[in-house]
């Protein structure tokens, strides 16, 4: 009996030590959450973080909501359905988004990336506050086709959410404002700033461009940087880049402003993570970078409001030789951020 009692005590001690170790690991994981951190080579964000400080509880709630299919009418489509992490938070392989009941949208799913530095959202504009952006996909017929009132009602019936809302906002009450702020806390944490380009710009040890990458960088600065400004690789503006009108005649920013000068203007996309985010353009018409190069080299159309930068010296477009394409591609690949598309804290749990 004494021997048996000894082993019972030892077993209990081991279980206690394991529990303590597990608890220490949990505490360590919690203590490493640093909130929103501005990359050293980025400017100050435009999102008003002072009005919605990122906390661990708020981030965890936002992540859960981002991957929550109850945001859609039939509980099948989440934000993460069209913004897939491994694809740079786009819907890889689809020219336009596929929503509820497999209905087709009219535009390619833009990446959820570096949104804290964005002052306008959507390919065609019309939304200028990140805290309001989710309303569009939730209520759009071909995306989630739901109402915010129904979403709130469904969330209130899920046991975990009152607890998560209380941890994040100090109250179990689930309302639209807190719901939106939680989603924003997750989305502003989707920061892509650890590509080879970033490491070179930060002068990290052992990081430098190859000869082709450096030559491609020079070409980029000469031919592309007016619209795709570093380090975000977009200036956030809306421009007509000379695409032939789509079969549905999507007129871009004009649909939001009804200003004639905005016809066929679309938001300038970031060039980060292009390896993961094909196809390209607002309607996903180009499957490869060569398709994009072909467009700028010889397919730019003289449509209304064509950007002046694409019609200089009596010529339309951007001249690109075969060698230019090779070197530009080499540089653009330095904008791929493998950490961003594999970060476990951004993944569905």
């Amino acid at each position: 009996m004494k021997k048996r009692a000894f082993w019972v005590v030892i077993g209990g001690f081991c279980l206690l030590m394991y529990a303590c170790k597990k608890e220490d690991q949990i505490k360590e994981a919690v203590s490493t959450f640093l909130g929103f951190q501005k990359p050293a080579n980025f400017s100050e964000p435009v999102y008003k973080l002072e009005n919605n400080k990122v906390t661990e509880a708020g981030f965890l709630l936002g992540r859960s909501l981002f991957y929550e299919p109850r945001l859609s009418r039939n509980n099948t489509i989440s934000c993460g359905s069209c913004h897939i992490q491994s694809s740079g938070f786009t819907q890889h392989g689809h020219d336009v988004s596929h929503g509820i009941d497999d209905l087709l949208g009219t535009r390619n799913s833009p990446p959820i990336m570096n949104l804290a530095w964005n002052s306008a959202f959507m390919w065609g504009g019309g939304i200028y506050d990140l805290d309001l952006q989710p309303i569009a996909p939730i209520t759009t017929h071909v995306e989630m086709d739901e109402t915010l009132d129904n979403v709130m009602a469904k969330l209130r019936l899920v046991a975990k959410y009152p607890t998560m809302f209380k941890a994040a906002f100090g109250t179990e009450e689930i309302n639209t404002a807190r719901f939106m702020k939680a989603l924003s806390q997750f989305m502003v944490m989707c920061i892509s700033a650890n590509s080879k380009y970033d490491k070179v710009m930060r002068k990290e040890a052992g990081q430098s461009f190859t000869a082709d990458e450096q030559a491609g960088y020079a070409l980029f600065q000469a031919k592309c940087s007016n619209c795709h400004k570093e380090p975000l690789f977009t200036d956030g503006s809306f421009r007509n880049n000379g695409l032939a009108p789509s079969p549905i005649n999507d007129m871009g920013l004009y649909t939001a402003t009804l200003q004639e000068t905005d016809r066929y203007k679309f938001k300038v996309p970031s060039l980060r993570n292009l390896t993961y985010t094909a196809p390209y353009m607002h309607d996903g018409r180009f499957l490869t970078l060569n398709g994009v190069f072909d467009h700028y080299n010889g397919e730019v159309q003289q449509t209304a409001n064509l950007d002046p930068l694409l019609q200089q010296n009596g010529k339309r477009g951007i001249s690109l030789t075969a060698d230019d394409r090779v070197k530009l591609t080499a540089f653009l690949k330095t904008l791929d951020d493998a950490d961003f598309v594999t970060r476990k804290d951004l993944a569905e749990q």
Side-chain angles (χ1 to χ4, degrees), residues 21-154:
K21 184 177 181 182
K22 190 73 173 177
E23 185 178 355
D24 288 343
Q25 289 173 343
I26 293 171
K27 287 180 179 178
E28 183 180 354
V30 170
S31 68
T32 59
F33 184 83
L34 300 175
F36 183 90
Q37 300 289 305
K38 183 184 77 68
N41 56 315
F42 278 31
S43 63
E44 291 299 321
V46 298
Y47 183 78
K48 292 181 172 56
L49 289 159
E50 63 272 20
N51 295 338
N52 187 24
K53 182 181 177 181
V54 179
T55 65
E56 183 174 29
F59 168 77
L60 294 176
L61 172 59
R63 183 178 66 190
S64 184
L65 294 171
F66 186 84
Y67 292 108
E68 176 56 77
R70 292 178 181 86
L71 272 56
S72 64
R73 170 175 50 77
N74 63 0
N75 306 325
T76 61
I77 301 293
S78 71
C79 303
S81 298
C82 294
H83 300 282
I84 302 165
Q85 183 186 12
S86 60
S87 300
F89 286 98
T90 63
Q91 199 171 19
H92 182 74
H94 292 290
D95 51 356
V96 295
S97 61
H98 288 224
I100 198 167
D101 299 326
D102 208 29
L103 293 173
L104 296 179
T106 59
R107 294 173 180 165
N108 184 253
S109 298
I112 304 294
M113 173 179 65
N114 297 336
L115 296 187
W117 289 269
N118 282 227
S119 56
F121 304 90
M122 318 289 278
W123 280 106
I127 299 176
Y128 301 93
D129 185 340
L130 181 60
D131 291 352
L132 300 179
Q133 190 279 330
I135 296 173
I138 289 171
T139 59
T140 297
H141 171 62
V142 295
E143 295 189 52
M144 292 180 172
D145 193 30
E146 186 55 289
T147 68
L148 288 171
D149 284 345
N150 283 348
V151 170
M152 297 306 110
K154 286 190 282 188

Side-chain angles (χ1 to χ4, degrees), residues 161-224:
Y161 282 123
T163 302
M164 294 185 78
F165 271 83
K166 184 172 184 179
F169 298 110
T171 174
E172 292 187 355
E173 182 187 356
I174 297 174
N175 63 25
T176 301
R178 297 184 186 105
F179 167 79
M180 294 296 183
K181 286 185 178 295
L183 277 173
S184 289
Q185 288 194 39
F186 173 76
M187 290 191 288
V188 298
M189 292 291 283
C190 294
I191 299 171
S192 180
N194 205 30
S195 66
K196 180 176 183 178
Y197 161 85
D198 295 303
K199 295 172 183 177
V200 171
M201 292 301 109
R202 293 192 293 256
K203 296 181 170 55
E204 294 183 12
Q207 298 293 328
S208 62
F209 289 140
T210 66
D212 275 358
E213 290 166 353
Q214 188 64 52
Y217 185 30
L219 284 166
F220 164 81
Q221 291 176 310
K223 296 176 181 286
C224 314

